[in-house]
């Protein structure tokens, strides 16, 4: 079933309206596009990962919604346990991070720009910084900002250190996806992996790759894997990679 019995009448009215509009413009839709139209009309769709195409689409949509919310929650939570503080985690607002281009001469004035703006305009950037300068925090906040914006690319936040043990038994692209989903609930992982692959095919995704310098002796292997993985993604896919500034 695409919708429950209580929503059948509303769904039928919406389908007729959509069909009239398509006929007027001589257009057609696939099953997922029909489901998207119904969802945008506030019709409650049946969610079932093992059901019809429309039901699986709805299950994937809900998994993405939970994933986006989790990215925002993690970025807004400050965990004090690593400091040995026996206090609850703190909540804070998302903050905008400023970056400076490094391609200009050393004596040229460097203008600061919002990381979100630079990443959107340039598409693929390398984010450098000294240890403890906030690169990982900036990446988490960028992921949260894009997670809150349905028009932004879907952020895939990956710890490159976490990719290393996965490369032995996975294709590079699969290793990156699995690393991004390590902290996601098990039921959502196959749905999100499917969504990531679909978005990577048309460029509606952003790979946020954190801490290349922390891969240490595996760095060359990770660089090769990153290159291979990005070959499988559309050229419009955004990429932000962080690493330590060598000076």
């Amino acid at each position: 079933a695409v919708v429950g019995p209580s929503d059948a009448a509303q769904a039928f009215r919406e389908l007729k309206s959509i069909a009239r509009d398509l006929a007027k413009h001589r257009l057609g839709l696939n099953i997922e596009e029909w489901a998207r139209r119904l969802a945008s009309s506030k019709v409650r769709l049946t969610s079932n990962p093992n059901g019809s195409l429309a039901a699986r689409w709805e299950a994937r949509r809900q998994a993405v919604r939970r994933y986006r919310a989790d990215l925002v929650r993690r970025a807004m939570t400050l965990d004090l346990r690593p400091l040995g503080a026996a206090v609850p985690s703190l909540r804070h607002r998302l903050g905008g991070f400023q970056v400076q281009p490094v391609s200009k001469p050393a004596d040229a004035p460097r203008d600061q720009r919002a990381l979100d703006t630079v990443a959107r305009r340039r598409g693929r950037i390398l984010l450098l910084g000294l240890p403890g300068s906030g690169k990982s925090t900036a990446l988490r906040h960028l992921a949260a900002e894009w997670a809150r914006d349905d028009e932004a690319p879907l952020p895939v936040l990956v710890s490159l250190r976490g990719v290393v043990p996965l490369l032995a038994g996975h294709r590079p692209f699969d290793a990156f996806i699995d690393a991004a989903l390590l902290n996601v609930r098990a039921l959502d992982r196959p749905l999100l992996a499917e969504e990531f692959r679909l978005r990577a095919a048309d460029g509606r995704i952003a790979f946020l790759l954190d801490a290349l310098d922390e891969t240490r002796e595996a760095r060359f292997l990770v660089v090769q894997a990153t290159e291979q993985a990005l070959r499988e993604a559309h050229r419009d896919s955004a990429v932000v990679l962080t690493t330590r500034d060598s000076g």
Side-chain angles (χ1 to χ4, degrees):
V2 177
V3 298
S6 61
D7 297 293
Q10 181 187 359
F12 184 66
R13 290 193 298 270
E14 292 297 336
L15 287 173
K16 287 200 301 182
S17 175
I18 295 169
R20 285 195 298 267
D21 185 58
L22 293 173
K24 185 187 303 182
H25 298 92
R26 297 184 179 181
L27 299 174
L29 297 176
N30 60 33
I31 292 295
E32 292 191 355
E33 289 168 336
W34 279 103
R36 186 176 292 108
R37 289 288 189 96
L38 285 174
S40 66
S41 299
K42 308 302 181 184
V43 175
R44 292 177 297 179
L45 303 181
T46 299
S47 172
N48 185 351
N50 301 313
S52 65
L53 289 176
R56 184 170 179 82
W57 177 87
E58 176 63 11
R60 203 170 68 234
R61 186 173 75 99
Q62 292 185 12
V64 169
R65 182 183 299 169
R66 288 189 290 270
Y67 171 74
R68 289 179 182 275
D70 190 54
L71 286 176
V72 174
R73 179 188 59 78
R74 281 192 279 166
M76 296 178 65
T77 302
L78 183 61
D79 187 0
L80 300 178
R81 288 175 299 178
L83 301 178
V87 295
S89 299
L90 300 178
R91 297 275 292 177
H92 61 91
R93 294 181 179 180
L94 291 178
F97 282 78
Q98 302 292 312
V99 294
Q100 294 178 334
V102 297
S103 57
K104 294 183 178 181
D107 57 348
R110 293 185 176 181
D111 55 326
Q112 292 191 346
R113 302 176 187 176
L115 174 58
D116 173 48
T117 302
V118 174
R120 281 183 185 253
R121 288 181 179 176
R122 298 199 177 188
R124 301 194 173 192
I125 64 173
L126 177 64
L127 184 61
L128 300 173
L130 296 173
S133 60
K135 300 182 296 296
S136 297
T137 301
L139 213 57
R140 287 197 301 272
H141 279 237
L142 178 61
E145 288 178 8
W146 282 354
R148 295 195 300 182
D149 183 358
D150 289 338
E151 299 301 318
L154 183 65
V156 177
L157 183 59
V158 181
S159 166
L160 292 177
R161 184 170 54 183
V163 170
V164 175
L166 299 174
L167 290 175
H170 297 72
R171 293 169 51 251
F173 190 84
D174 295 336
F176 277 73
I177 288 180
D178 287 352
L181 298 177
L182 286 175
N183 296 317
V184 172
R185 72 173 193 163
L187 291 176
D188 284 346
R189 288 174 191 167
L191 295 167
L192 290 170
E194 181 180 346
E195 183 72 16
F196 290 170
R197 290 186 177 91
L198 290 170
R199 287 173 175 264
D202 60 20
R204 294 177 299 124
I205 200 167
F207 293 97
L208 309 182
L209 311 178
D210 191 31
L212 175 61
D213 54 286
E214 293 183 9
T215 59
R216 304 185 186 281
E217 65 275 2
R219 185 180 307 181
F220 182 68
L221 176 65
V222 171
V223 169
Q224 285 185 316
T226 301
E227 184 179 10
Q228 292 177 37
L230 293 180
R231 284 201 197 110
E232 296 189 36
H234 193 280
R235 64 182 181 181
D236 289 339
S237 301
V239 180
V240 181
L241 186 149
T242 75
T243 191
R244 184 177 300 182
D245 191 349
S246 61

